[in-house]
Amino acid sequence: RVQCRQCGLVCSKPSNLVRHVRSVHQKARPFGCPQCSQAFAQRPNRDRHVAIVHHGRRPYQCRTCGMQFVSLYSMKRHMASQRHLHRRGED
């Protein structure tokens, strides 16, 4: 376990600490979106941005009503609200 000297965050591996320092404290954003000016600290975040924002990807779908979401959190919130039960007959 290694600890950040600037904020005290404890990381399980030195590589995670290096990534933390670069992205949080140095504000490094080396992964730019090829379609807009947005930049990201990590490649998976850039790739997710491109898929959702520029390609319209909504990978999570309610099994009850078919509504699609960009995040699992959004879908779970939808399920908890029971809005999906009211959308069933709208097709």
Side-chain angles (χ1 to χ4, degrees):
R1 299 183 80 99
V2 289
Q3 187 171 16
C4 177
R5 292 180 184 160
Q6 294 177 324
C7 70
L9 177 78
V10 176
C11 296
S12 59
K13 300 187 295 188
S15 60
N16 291 345
L17 179 61
V18 169
R19 183 174 36 219
H20 161 76
V21 170
R22 283 186 187 152
S23 64
V24 174
H25 301 299
Q26 297 175 352
K27 308 281 191 239
R29 302 285 186 263
F31 302 100
C33 175
Q35 298 178 6
C36 72
S37 61
Q38 189 85 2
F40 301 88
Q42 297 178 22
R43 182 173 304 166
N45 295 343
R46 190 259 330 257
D47 294 345
R48 182 172 45 252
H49 160 82
V50 170
I52 291 169
V53 174
H54 300 296
H55 297 156
R57 184 169 170 248
R58 293 177 170 261
Y60 302 95
Q61 185 171 14
C62 175
R63 292 182 191 166
T64 304
C65 74
M67 193 169 174
Q68 296 178 318
F69 303 89
V70 298
S71 71
L72 182 59
Y73 171 78
S74 297
M75 186 183 74
K76 286 182 176 181
R77 191 175 60 209
H78 162 81
M79 297 296 288
S81 73
Q82 297 188 2
R83 285 183 292 221
H84 62 284
L85 299 176
H86 302 291
R87 290 180 53 92
R88 229 187 286 185
E90 292 180 9
D91 293 68

